[in-house]
Amino acid sequence: MNIKTDGSDQKKITRTACAFMGLSHILYLRKYLQGGLYAAVEILFLCFLPVTINKLVGLVTLGYPQPDLPVRERNNSVFMLIDGILFLALIAVFAATYVISVKSAKKAYKEYCRTGRFAPKSNSPVELSNQAFPLAGLAPCVIMLLVFVVVPLLFSIAVAFTNYSMPDHIPPKNTVDWVGFQNFKDLLGGNATWSKGFVRIAVWTLVWAVLSTFTCYFGGLLVAVQLKESGIKFSSVFRFIFILPYAVPSVITMLVWKNLLNGTFGTVNRTLQAWGLLNGTIPWLGNATLAQVMCIVINLWAGFGYFMMLSMGTMTAIPQDLYEAAKIDGASGPQILRHVTLPLVLYQTMPLIIMSFTHNINNFGIIYFLTGGDPTVADSTVTSAGGTDILVTWIYKLTITLLKYNYASVIAVLIFVVLAPFAVYQFMNTKAYKEGEV
């Protein structure tokens, strides 16, 4: 079929392209191979449409109770949820391909209007492969991103809106149901025991993240200033010693500290008793408040070395002219530290402080291997949340011990909501983003 070169057939090209993928390429644009490939994609999608509809229905219903069937033959709500989300991702890929085909038809028509003729090589396999190379190169990455990142992420979010938990809603014996925002209501005030435990752990997680970040940062900065400004001999030896706690795997060091601080037979208590400084025992990790303090102290011991090296590297890059000018103006050592060194070091390291804060919110290892979340408190019997648990260690207990996947998913979603702005801020302050390279 012939088309005009004055652009008047633009709507016809667009309508035909929207009616069926690749149809405009075949009927009007003489791109038979490209149009055939687009049409094959839609035909393949239509062939699998009954399966797709079935999976989407399963996503909506999550199955029905089938007590008369053997357990293995019953509807598995979790599998139905995963399959439904996966097919939604496939629909999204199909929709994106459809949009690309329509834009391709409109672009080809504009080129035809500009030149007044069809490109002689536009229908050749070589030219088509050249045009499709970027899409073909990105396709595996996009598919892997969908399957291994987007689908699991959407599944984790979806679980927050279900009752997927022990004892009555664990597939395949029982089905899972959609409950809307009920889980959020339970944790944020609807259920006294669970909301009390959530608020307690959320507050402690925030306190832990703030204190562990700033104690490590300023502790490392203080040591760096002392090593650089005091003229200590063999400062490199001290740097090596101070970095060791950070270099050794935290699993090992935390387990060692856990034994050292044991209230009954720990080395710390026995040493204090041997020196006559202690008559009884101190429950370093047996009292909730004291255990929280020890978590921050041990984290300081383990993490200040990183910020020490970071601060020393930043201070090395400060021009010596600034120090000399400050001394000529009569500034003292503390004044130089306050008005020259600290502002420049903070400016260079502020993004890393933010990253450290977000890391400490999810710092599973320090808490779990040092205290295991213990000691128990009033609501621990129901919620399984100990006195030193942070949100991420509580999620672990909810999924492994209590099998409360719905509540664990809610907490994960809330953590994401809190940390996402920090991640966006960090990304927007990267050099690549500011210079428009991404």
Side-chain angles (χ1 to χ4, degrees):
M1 297 183 182
N2 295 325
I3 52 177
K4 300 176 182 179
T5 60
D6 58 358
S8 59
D9 288 330
Q10 177 70 54
K11 291 184 178 179
K12 180 171 67 173
I13 296 293
T14 304
R15 285 196 298 266
T16 307
C18 293
F20 199 91
M21 192 185 302
L23 190 59
S24 288
H25 295 80
I26 297 173
L27 295 180
Y28 304 113
L29 303 173
R30 299 183 185 177
K31 293 192 173 186
Y32 305 112
L33 182 58
Q34 186 175 358
L37 291 176
Y38 281 132
V41 171
E42 182 161 355
I43 292 172
L44 185 64
F45 177 79
L46 293 176
C47 290
F48 283 93
L49 188 59
V51 178
T52 303
I53 294 175
N54 182 55
K55 296 297 183 181
L56 294 182
V57 171
L59 176 63
V60 174
T61 63
L62 295 182
Y64 300 98
Q66 298 171 309
D68 298 333
L69 295 178
V71 173
R72 291 186 178 182
E73 298 179 9
R74 298 178 187 178
N75 290 329
N76 192 313
S77 300
V78 174
F79 290 167
M80 298 174 75
L81 179 59
I82 296 174
D83 290 344
I85 294 174
L86 184 60
F87 272 81
L88 282 178
L90 293 177
I91 293 174
V93 172
F94 172 75
T97 307
Y98 217 120
V99 172
I100 292 173
S101 71
V102 174
K103 289 184 176 181
S104 174
K106 294 169 67 175
K107 181 180 178 181
Y109 179 63
K110 288 181 180 179
E111 183 67 19
Y112 171 71
C113 293
R114 186 180 67 84
T115 61
R117 60 187 178 85
F118 297 105
K121 296 182 179 180
S122 62
N123 199 37
S124 66
V126 175
E127 182 65 20
L128 182 60
S129 63
N130 291 335
Q131 295 176 2
F133 178 76
L135 293 176
L138 290 174
C141 297
V142 173
I143 293 174
M144 291 182 66
L145 184 68
L146 282 173
V147 174
F148 296 108
V149 178
V150 176
V151 170
L153 180 62
L154 292 178
F155 173 77
S156 300
I157 295 174
V159 170
F161 299 93
T162 68
N163 56 4
Y164 183 23
S165 61
M166 280 287 285
D168 299 324
H169 298 283
I170 296 294
K173 183 178 180 180
N174 305 106
T175 57
V176 175
D177 305 310
W178 295 105
V179 295
F181 288 91
Q182 185 60 46
N183 298 322
F184 291 86
K185 293 178 181 179
D186 290 344
L187 288 179
L188 298 178
N191 186 301
T193 303
W194 284 98
S195 60
K196 180 181 178 181
F198 173 76
V199 171
R200 174 178 60 81
I201 294 178
V203 171
W204 160 236
T205 301
L206 182 61
V207 172
W208 152 260
V210 172
L211 292 182
S212 59
T213 299
F214 285 96
T215 53
C216 286
Y217 178 80
F218 287 105
L221 179 61
L222 178 62
V223 174
V225 170
Q226 291 297 321
L227 292 177
K228 189 175 186 299
E229 302 295 337
S230 60
I232 298 176
K233 294 182 179 180
F234 308 111
S235 60
S236 59
V237 176
F238 286 97
R239 288 200 301 268
F240 174 77
I241 294 174
F242 290 149
I243 199 64
L244 281 179
Y246 179 79
V248 176
S250 61
V251 177
I252 299 174
T253 55
M254 292 306 108
L255 291 178
V256 170
W257 274 108
K258 184 176 183 178
N259 290 325
L260 292 176
L261 296 174
N262 186 281
T264 304
F265 55 82
T267 303
V268 175
N269 276 344
R270 287 182 175 274
T271 302
L272 293 176
Q273 292 169 356
W275 289 349
L277 301 176
L278 184 65
N279 291 326
T281 59
I282 299 177
W284 300 105
L285 303 179
N287 176 271
T289 302
L290 186 56
Q292 291 175 348
V293 173
M294 294 311 300
C295 286
I296 296 173
V297 172
I298 301 303
N299 182 73
L300 170 62
W301 172 85
F304 83 96
Y306 168 75
F307 285 104
M308 176 198 70
M309 299 298 292
L310 182 67
S311 300
M312 292 193 70
T314 305
M315 287 188 291
T316 304
I318 298 175
Q320 293 299 316
D321 297 346
L322 294 178
Y323 292 114
E324 294 175 1
K327 291 178 181 178
I328 292 174
D329 290 340
S332 62
Q335 289 175 327
I336 292 175
L337 174 64
R338 178 182 176 184
H339 297 288
V340 178
T341 304
L342 284 181
L344 292 174
V345 172
L346 283 172
Y347 176 77
Q348 295 293 332
T349 58
M350 183 57 68
L352 295 175
I353 296 177
I354 297 174
M355 289 180 62
S356 179
F357 173 78
T358 58
H359 165 74
N360 282 321
I361 287 181
N362 289 321
N363 196 341
F364 178 86
I366 296 291
I367 299 296
Y368 184 77
F369 293 113
L370 180 61
T371 66
D374 294 333
T376 58
V377 292
D379 57 82
S380 295
T381 304
V382 176
T383 64
S384 190
T388 58
D389 269 317
I390 58 177
L391 290 174
V392 67
T393 60
W394 192 29
I395 290 175
Y396 177 80
K397 289 183 177 180
L398 287 174
T399 55
I400 300 301
T401 305
L402 296 184
L403 301 184
K404 294 285 186 181
Y405 300 105
N406 51 345
Y407 287 164
S409 182
V410 170
I411 298 171
V413 170
L414 295 176
I415 291 176
F416 173 78
V417 170
V418 172
L419 295 186
F422 292 99
V424 173
Y425 172 81
Q426 181 69 21
F427 171 73
M428 294 180 66
N429 281 274
T430 59
K431 183 178 179 181
Y433 179 82
K434 289 181 179 179
E435 293 181 357
E437 297 175 2
V438 296

